[in-house]
Amino acid sequence: MKRLLWILTTLVLLASSCSSPEKVKFVTVQGTELIAPDGSVLFIKGTNLGNWLNPEGYMFNFRRTNSGRLINQMLCEMVGPDFVAEWWQLFKDNYVTIEDFEFLKSIGCNTIRIPFHYKLFTNEDYMGLNDPDEGFRRIDQAVEWARQTGMYLILDMHDAPGGQTGDNIDDSYGYPWLFESEKSQELFISIWRRIASHYVNEPTVLGYELCNEPIAPYFEDNLNELNASLQPLYIRATEAIREVDRNHIVIIGAPQWNTNFEPMTDWTFDDNIMYTCHRYGGEAGVDGIKDYIEFRDKTGLPMYMGEIGHNTWEWQSTYSRVMQDNGIGYTFWPYKKLTHECVNAFAEPENWDKVVEFSECDRSDFFKIRANRPNQEEMRKALLDLIENIKFKNCTPIVDYIESMNL
């Protein structure tokens, strides 16, 4: 009887082993190249979903009101917090959909970078909610769209706790407090560990970009100290990620708008990392990325242009060819915004000029808010009309911009 039980147990184990699913494969680093799960070389080409989960003022034609926090404050002053909270949900629901993913795939994109705000993973109020799972809900949906369309996602913490940049793009308070606050650093690390635990087995996620464009060049008095604090934080965050996820690439950006790689002196602390650079101006030829190529060759690791754009079509087209010739993948900025400097533009609704005017006026005290507030009914209608305009079916692809991307 014992022998019979042993034989049956062995057969069950063998059957289980034979029927077990094939191991999930991920994009990996091999020298200076990325390798897709099928073993082919992956050259990143795509765009950024900026403004979706990290609103920026210029995307709406605002100038002074230029970060998510300031936009929310202005809108609440204009039409009230309850309406604004509901409006943000409509905005997130409609700014990016499966139709946008299908369109991007059709024009030749294989990768989409998703900038997000850390507050989407906390109880802090952000875009109408204070829900630590909102980030997962939104990105989970993008993962499903990426899976359906056969594209990869790069998750980019564009706005880190305390602010990693010190300018409007990180929605902070004008200084990169992240690098002087242990509390902010602990939150930064814990959010990345939580994200990595959630997506550990998701192959459509190409990698985790720890923070966008850290340490703006404005802080000359202590720029060297700030720069020196960046790499140790990267190492700590990567170690926390590796506690739960050894599958995904960790993507490292340089200080001063992802351009200054001199402080990046250790590239041996992990065996699955790559670097990311940005460029919006300067020489469009190979000299414009000479420093990036040299750093890539020195480290023997991939280099990827996370943001490029906002220039002439000729400049963008030349740069695209140069990057292709030199093995530097890229995601253009941005996918969608007001006016034409993007892949897919949406139109201004009626009375949007009054929204812009209020965003620019003096609202420094309550008397001035009351005195300058436009008609609330008109403004609510303008905001709801904007929701209609941002829907994919109502947007206008900018053909020259798309052609300049050389997809």
Side-chain angles (χ1 to χ4, degrees), residues 117-126 129-136 157 159 161 187-188 190-191 194:
H117 201 301
Y118 84 90
K119 290 181 180 179
L120 290 163
F121 298 92
T122 71
N123 286 313
E124 298 180 60
D125 184 68
Y126 183 66
L129 291 175
N130 52 358
D131 185 342
D133 293 323
E134 173 69 350
F136 289 125
M157 188 181 285
D159 314 79
L187 179 58
F188 171 77
S190 69
I191 291 172
R194 186 166 170 245

